[in-house]
Amino acid sequence: MSLFDMRLSDIHNRLNNKELSVTELVDASFARIAATDAKIGAFLNLNEAGARKEAAALDAQLAAGGERGLLFGVPAGIKDNIVTEGLRTTCASRFLENYDPIYDAAVVTKLRAAQSITMGKLNMDEFAMGGSNENSAFHPVHNPWDLDRVPGGSSGGSAAAVASGQVYFTLGSDTGGSIRQPAAYCGVVGLKPTYGLVSRYGLVAFASSLDQIGPITKNVEDSAYVLQAIAGHDERDTTSANVNIPDYVSALTGDVKGLRIGVPKEYLGAGIDPTVKERVLEALKVFESMGAVWEEVSLPHTEYAVATYYLLASSEASSNLARFDGVRYGVRAEDPANLLDLYRKSRSEGFGAEVKRRIMLGTYALSSGYYDAYYKKAQQVRTLIKRDFDQVFEKYDLIIGPTAPTPAFKLGEQVGDPLTMYLNDICTIPVSLAGVPAISIPCGLANGLPVGMQIIGKPFDESTVLRAAHAFEGQTGFHNLRPALS
């Protein structure tokens, strides 16, 4: 068994008993990366010298005794749109290929306080725009379950690194499903917290009203530990919520008796692969056997969610990415004729095709004469979608459905068809627009590929989401399935 298949408490016990050192954990992580990443492509940059220095310091602390952090000594990977002081952060874009941040994101500071070790930065779709990780400017990521298939996106590197046992956990970011969908494709656990629960300070903005950072782990207990470490109010993020942070780990009681679950008919209808639907219905029977009850419900504005999302997210992207103009950040075109030519050439050379597509779509939606017809209308529909969730949560504790309509598809299969690619997020986008928490956990296989189930909760009720997910894990064990990756 890999060290990274062990529970966090077991690793800490072995560290306490001097049966294991932090340096050995870090060595094991780098050895696994060296053995597998040529096939997977999860990492863009490694922090080898920094990680080994941190490991030596933690081993010295271990020998001296005293208090230790919640995530003491465990190797972690960070998505490459989360800034790390002195460690290159590219957003998988040529535009930032030479960018070395001068500060840490709030979540990175919190992970340092919890004493995990940053092993490196993880591949992603450029500026988090994509659902297959084929939009990285450097190289695609391959799914550890089938190297000819995508790992999902945009946090594909984060999910693939956990699934292949390269690191103990990773951080991803989720705007329309970018943690949950790759977690589903790679057979791991991905949590998108409530909007505002985790600080966005230091996350390179894509769509500021939707972006959220969350953990990707092998099991729900580890997800609770990592969320405990990174959640909390931050004055530097104006959308950060000042709420009490409960003890997420103690919520994992295994008891779901009496929980009321709503199952949207829109999430199990047209476009959902029959095998995926079958796995989710089997999972609902497991919840029934544990004493929960479920009923079919409706989220009637779901059909408008994808169009709404791409208008709003692209509009926010066109504004957020205006700062990348060749003057202050990254790529600067050579020999421009004037300032406007510098902007045009730098952005043409620095951005990839998908980023340009979304900037143009968003700029059009925000332009004079079209704002009311597109952007304002999309905001109004977003309110209706959120109201759908509010009404269901008046009667139910949780909502359950598939995370993605199909298992992972093949590399290159959809890259020339953006609309089909966008529809892969049809089950995750409404949740992002509503700002509520959701977790994707493995619920079985379809033709040998992982299927993810999405458990959605009320705002700031991550405890119930985690409790239900943990109870399901305890009954089924699907989270213990591993890809046959040599």
Side-chain angles (χ1 to χ4, degrees):
M1 183 174 71
S2 163
L3 285 170
F4 302 146
D5 283 329
M6 298 176 68
R7 297 175 60 189
L8 185 61
S9 56
D10 293 331
I11 287 180
H12 282 172
N13 284 337
R14 294 188 65 176
L15 288 170
N16 287 334
N17 296 333
K18 307 293 188 289
E19 298 168 1
L20 180 68
S21 70
V22 178
T23 297
E24 287 172 327
L25 280 171
V26 168
D27 286 345
S29 179
F30 279 127
R32 184 64 176 164
I33 293 169
T36 58
D37 211 46
K39 301 174 185 173
I40 296 174
F43 277 88
L44 290 176
N45 293 299
L46 291 176
N47 179 38
E48 194 151 358
R52 294 194 188 284
K53 183 178 178 182
E54 288 177 45
L58 293 185
D59 278 332
Q61 181 184 341
L62 192 64
E67 284 194 19
R68 294 190 288 274
L70 188 64
L71 302 172
F72 183 88
V74 293
I78 309 292
K79 188 176 178 180
D80 207 28
N81 59 348
I82 299 170
V83 301
T84 42
E85 182 179 0
L87 186 59
R88 186 147 296 183
T89 300
T90 69
C91 291
S93 176
R94 292 289 176 198
F95 217 114
L96 292 177
E97 62 184 345
N98 60 358
Y99 176 55
D100 295 323
I102 58 172
Y103 70 102
D104 279 331
V107 289
V108 175
T109 302
K110 284 177 175 281
L111 288 185
R112 289 190 195 281
Q115 297 189 300
S116 67
I117 295 182
T118 299
M119 305 298 291
K121 304 302 289 290
L122 291 157
N123 206 350
M124 53 183 282
D125 286 298
E126 184 179 9
F127 283 103
M129 298 180 193
S132 68
N133 225 132
E134 293 167 288
N135 294 329
S136 169
F138 303 110
H139 52 78
V141 179
H142 298 257
N143 191 316
W145 287 82
D146 180 344
L147 297 174
D148 291 330
R149 294 181 184 270
V150 304
S154 62
S155 305
S158 298
V162 173
S164 59
Q166 295 179 340
V167 289
Y168 195 78
F169 74 90
T170 61
L171 292 186
S173 69
D174 191 313
T175 304
S178 289
I179 289 174
R180 292 160 286 159
Q181 185 246 35
Y185 284 0
C186 292
V188 293
V189 174
L191 173 66
K192 184 201 86 69
T194 307
Y195 183 78
L197 183 68
V198 176
S199 173
R200 293 183 298 110
Y201 178 79
L203 172 67
V204 178
F206 160 21
S208 302
S209 75
L210 295 158
D211 296 338
Q212 189 62 194
I213 298 171
I216 296 179
T217 57
K218 281 197 174 73
N219 58 60
V220 175
E221 182 181 87
D222 291 341
S223 185
Y225 274 112
V226 179
L227 181 64
Q228 198 77 55
I230 64 174
H233 182 242
D234 181 6
E235 292 181 349
R236 297 167 297 181
D237 174 2
T238 56
T239 60
S240 176
N242 194 355
V243 296
N244 290 326
I245 305 300
D247 185 337
Y248 296 115
V249 179
S250 68
L252 307 180
T253 62
D255 182 13
V256 295
K257 190 174 183 180
L259 269 185
R260 295 161 300 169
I261 299 169
V263 180
K265 61 182 181 183
E266 294 83 0
Y267 287 17
L268 293 174
I272 304 299
D273 182 278
T275 312
V276 170
K277 179 177 178 178
E278 189 178 333
R279 295 289 93 81
V280 173
L281 291 174
E282 290 169 355
L284 289 168
K285 289 180 182 175
V286 174
F287 279 108
E288 278 184 343
S289 72
M290 292 188 288
V293 294
W294 69 272
E295 294 178 316
E296 184 178 276
V297 298
S298 179
L299 297 169
H301 295 93
T302 297
E303 64 177 303
Y304 307 114
V306 172
T308 300
Y309 170 84
Y310 278 96
L311 280 168
L312 295 178
S314 299
S315 297
E316 294 183 28
S318 77
S319 174
N320 279 325
L321 270 61
R323 77 193 67 181
F324 301 109
D325 55 12
V327 177
R328 293 186 63 191
Y329 296 103
V331 168
R332 174 175 293 189
E334 294 184 0
D335 302 321
N338 52 46
L339 184 60
L340 289 178
D341 194 45
L342 171 69
Y343 295 161
R344 184 182 61 79
K345 283 185 174 177
S346 298
R347 289 168 70 83
S348 296
E349 295 170 8
F351 289 138
E354 180 64 23
V355 174
K356 290 174 184 173
R357 181 183 294 122
R358 299 201 193 191
I359 289 174
M360 287 189 284
L361 176 63
T363 303
Y364 181 82
L366 291 173
S367 61
S368 176
Y370 297 99
Y371 179 92
D372 284 357
Y374 294 108
Y375 183 78
K376 183 180 177 182
K377 182 69 72 179
Q379 288 286 27
Q380 291 168 332
V381 176
R382 182 180 188 175
T383 300
L384 295 175
I385 290 169
K386 183 180 184 306
R387 195 172 296 163
D388 287 347
F389 281 90
D390 292 343
Q391 289 172 346
V392 170
F393 282 132
E394 287 176 1
K395 297 181 180 177
Y396 300 91
D397 302 300
L398 296 169
I399 295 172
I400 286 182
T403 305
T406 68
F409 50 90
K410 290 198 170 182
L411 284 154
E413 189 174 299
Q414 298 182 8
V415 74
D417 184 356
L419 290 180
T420 300
M421 183 77 80
Y422 296 167
L423 288 172
N424 291 311
D425 292 332
I426 194 168
C427 300
T428 53
I429 279 175
V431 178
S432 298
L433 291 168
V436 294
I439 195 169
S440 178
I441 60 172
C443 68
L445 300 176
N447 299 320
L449 296 171
V451 175
M453 173 173 63
Q454 185 175 209
I455 302 175
I456 307 161
K458 299 175 183 177
F460 301 107
D461 192 17
E462 277 77 2
S463 293
T464 302
V465 172
L466 290 163
R467 175 161 60 96
H470 181 256
F472 179 81
E473 270 191 358
Q475 292 292 312
T476 60
F478 293 126
H479 64 293
N480 292 321
L481 297 174
R482 298 284 179 266
L485 183 71
S486 58

